[in-house]
Amino acid sequence: MACKHLTLVESLHRHTRVAPRHVEVDCVPNYHVYYVETTADSPKDDAGRFIKGEKSPLTLACMQLLGPDDTYLVQSDEDDTKFWGWKYAQGLGCTFEWKEEEEIDDSAKQSIAAMTPEEWRDRVKTGFQILPFHLQGRLDGHDGTQGGVKSNQGVAGKAEYDISLRPVAGWGQYPPLSSQLQHQNETSTKQTYSQFSTAGWLAKFPVFEPHWQITMAHARATGSINWNGTVYEFKDAPFYGEKNWGGAFPTKWYWSQCNSFDDYPDLSFTAGGGIRILPFSFLPGKRTETLGLIGIHYQGSFYEFVPWTSESEWEVDPWGTWKFRGRCTDKGKKFEADIVVTTDEDVPGVLLRAPTKDEGMQYFCRDSGFGNAVVNLWQLEWDDNARDYIRSPNKPPLIDKATSSQCTVEVGGGPWWSTWKVKSQMSPILKKLIRLPYAFRRS
């Protein structure tokens, strides 16, 4: 697609002791968003991103970071030719500025894509590189408080990170964390673990806007972050990654994610929903639908609450409270989840920019890495008297009040005048289409 918004989000939390000249911290929340607005070579292929034959003024490559204590930094470049991305794997990057000793002409620079981590450290002054199992970035920008994301539009600031990743769970089945730790030196396994499209199989086609895929619901990260001169080091910190692409974000949405729980090291949940544009929205009739989902990874099992197999609802305040409920009685396992996330009164969140269709990167959402989460998950069984599935009375909850004070939360778009309380409902025709692969999925 000609217009792309590429987003990777990480949430790093770690109780760590650091070396001299570093600081001792209880947690290091870190949230990265990489945005790219590109244009095609031909106006016919560009979905309106050319204006009178010229490139859109929205063309931009941008990196914004939410750092420790909900602080914020951003850097951007209007030259989108500096951006590169892999077609069939999660690899992307942009070199804003090369080191002075790099004597490379401009044409050669444009042909450079992925580098080894060592090469990137030696050659890149500012920019970012995302490889499947390694993240690197150097930002020399500002806090965006004086007008926007371009140069000199905020108070100056710097950040640098170098992080290696060990996947735990993608979006689907996965080996339990205990099993991974026991066999982490083994190079092969006889068992395969199926992964799924977060938004259904149609999401791989240009059908819905925007597109969304969770690539790592749970992982372990090792490395360091230098935030305005303070260095945070961590080992095996919880990590999460996702990607969005398409024309623009939803007109209104919510999102929450956590994989750092007290006494539940192998637990990760993601909840998200919003108002998305339906295909063929230029035709008369309904042009949008409001959908939400919940995904829980725990002890090697994947509990999926999606509109085409489950019931789900949410109750989200303009800020401060996120409540999610899901119930799945489809074939295979039957289960029910209840999740509540709140923020303290002294956690106002941070305004972040998000891609908008007509104005590019604008303040469009509010985030924080300091949500207080409580997660419950129950197995369901059939009750003849109730003639319905109920929580198993003779079995303990699968997850019993798992808690965390390091949950990431977000509200975006709008308007947010009051509490948003909705039951997720999908178009019947689309629901039947997306359910097709589930007829062949193993329970």
Side-chain angles (χ1 to χ4, degrees):
M1 189 173 182
C3 174
K4 299 179 182 178
H5 306 285
L6 302 176
T7 304
L8 184 77
V9 182
E10 304 112 55
S11 183
L12 298 173
H13 305 276
R14 181 64 180 171
H15 296 271
T16 179
R17 187 177 301 277
V18 294
R21 296 189 67 251
H22 297 49
V23 297
E24 184 173 341
V25 296
D26 293 326
C27 64
V28 186
N30 195 256
Y31 178 97
H32 297 189
V33 178
Y34 308 95
Y35 162 86
V36 180
E37 172 83 51
T38 63
T39 51
D41 295 330
S42 167
K44 294 182 180 180
D45 299 328
D46 187 58
R49 293 301 178 181
F50 272 77
I51 300 175
K52 296 182 180 180
E54 300 294 332
K55 268 190 176 183
S56 165
L58 301 180
T59 300
L60 191 73
C62 178
M63 169 171 58
Q64 59 177 342
L65 310 178
L66 176 61
D69 299 321
D70 279 354
T71 48
Y72 172 87
L73 290 173
V74 64
Q75 183 178 1
S76 67
D77 196 307
E78 296 177 67
D79 184 0
D80 62 326
T81 64
K82 296 179 179 180
F83 170 80
W84 60 268
W86 290 347
K87 189 173 182 178
Y88 297 110
Q90 184 163 283
L92 57 98
C94 181
T95 299
F96 297 138
E97 192 175 3
W98 296 86
K99 290 187 176 180
E100 294 180 359
E101 57 268 24
E102 286 296 318
E103 297 181 357
I104 308 174
D105 60 52
D106 291 340
S107 60
K109 288 178 181 178
Q110 291 181 11
S111 66
I112 295 176
M115 292 174 271
T116 65
E118 295 77 12
E119 186 180 13
W120 194 94
R121 294 185 196 108
D122 292 339
R123 303 180 68 181
V124 176
K125 184 176 180 180
T126 60
F128 60 88
Q129 173 171 278
I130 309 303
L131 301 180
F133 306 113
H134 205 106
L135 313 176
Q136 291 171 291
R138 287 181 176 137
L139 182 152
D140 187 357
H142 54 81
D143 65 1
T145 57
Q146 298 175 10
V149 301
K150 298 180 180 180
S151 298
N152 303 315
Q153 291 186 321
V155 178
K158 294 184 178 183
E160 181 175 350
Y161 56 89
D162 199 323
I163 302 168
S164 60
L165 304 175
R166 179 171 58 84
V168 175
W171 189 253
Q173 302 163 356
Y174 73 107
L177 181 60
S178 59
S179 173
Q180 293 186 43
L181 294 174
Q182 184 178 354
H183 302 97
Q184 59 184 345
N185 294 325
E186 297 181 5
T187 57
S188 63
T189 177
K190 295 181 179 179
Q191 188 169 355
T192 59
Y193 299 92
S194 300
Q195 302 300 296
F196 310 116
S197 294
T198 302
W201 66 274
L202 282 175
K204 68 176 63 176
F205 302 104
V207 176
F208 302 110
E209 285 286 348
H211 307 278
W212 182 30
Q213 180 64 45
I214 294 168
T215 56
M216 292 187 195
H218 202 11
R220 288 290 187 263
T222 297
S224 64
I225 297 172
N226 184 328
W227 191 267
N228 280 327
T230 300
V231 179
Y232 303 86
E233 293 181 338
F234 43 88
K235 183 178 180 180
D236 287 337
F239 172 95
Y240 166 88
E242 69 173 44
K243 176 180 176 180
N244 305 98
W245 69 102
F249 271 29
T251 56
K252 184 177 182 178
W253 76 91
Y254 67 86
W255 173 82
S256 182
Q257 202 285 326
C258 187
N259 54 10
S260 180
F261 286 89
D262 302 331
D263 302 322
Y264 284 84
D266 196 17
L267 171 60
S268 173
F269 92 83
T270 306
I275 303 173
R276 73 176 179 184
I277 299 173
L278 288 171
F280 311 112
S281 59
F282 56 86
L283 297 175
K286 188 177 179 182
R287 299 188 175 188
T288 63
E289 62 182 359
T290 304
L291 300 176
L293 62 79
I294 303 170
I296 296 176
H297 292 80
Y298 180 58
Q299 292 187 338
S301 295
F302 179 46
Y303 301 90
E304 184 184 36
F305 305 86
V306 287
W308 47 95
T309 63
S310 312
E311 301 171 5
S312 64
E313 59 184 274
W314 63 86
E315 186 175 337
V316 179
D317 287 345
W319 185 256
T321 303
W322 294 255
K323 296 179 181 179
F324 316 114
R325 301 178 187 88
R327 191 169 189 265
C328 181
T329 57
D330 206 50
K331 71 171 189 174
K333 296 178 181 178
K334 280 55 173 188
F335 39 82
E336 181 178 332
D338 183 272
I339 302 171
V340 178
V341 186
T342 60
T343 53
D344 296 337
E345 291 185 0
D346 60 349
V347 178
V350 176
L351 286 176
L352 287 182
R353 291 171 172 84
T356 61
K357 186 175 182 180
D358 298 319
E359 298 182 13
M361 287 291 280
Q362 297 293 328
Y363 283 126
F364 207 47
C365 55
R366 184 181 298 272
D367 291 68
S368 177
F370 294 102
N372 303 303
V374 180
V375 178
N376 291 283
L377 180 67
W378 298 273
Q379 185 173 332
L380 301 180
E381 62 182 43
W382 181 258
D383 183 88
D384 289 329
N385 294 325
R387 299 186 63 80
D388 197 0
Y389 289 96
I390 65 170
R391 297 172 186 175
S392 301
N394 300 318
K395 297 179 181 178
L398 297 170
I399 300 173
D400 188 12
K401 296 183 178 65
T403 60
S404 174
S405 59
Q406 301 175 6
C407 182
T408 307
V409 289
E410 178 179 80
V411 292
W416 284 92
W417 305 124
S418 59
T419 299
W420 192 20
K421 187 175 182 180
V422 177
K423 287 187 177 180
S424 182
Q425 293 184 335
M426 172 173 271
S427 160
I429 296 176
L430 290 175
K431 188 173 183 178
K432 289 180 180 179
L433 281 172
I434 295 180
R435 278 186 60 87
L436 286 175
Y438 284 72
F440 307 98
R441 181 189 290 192
R442 292 178 296 176
S443 61

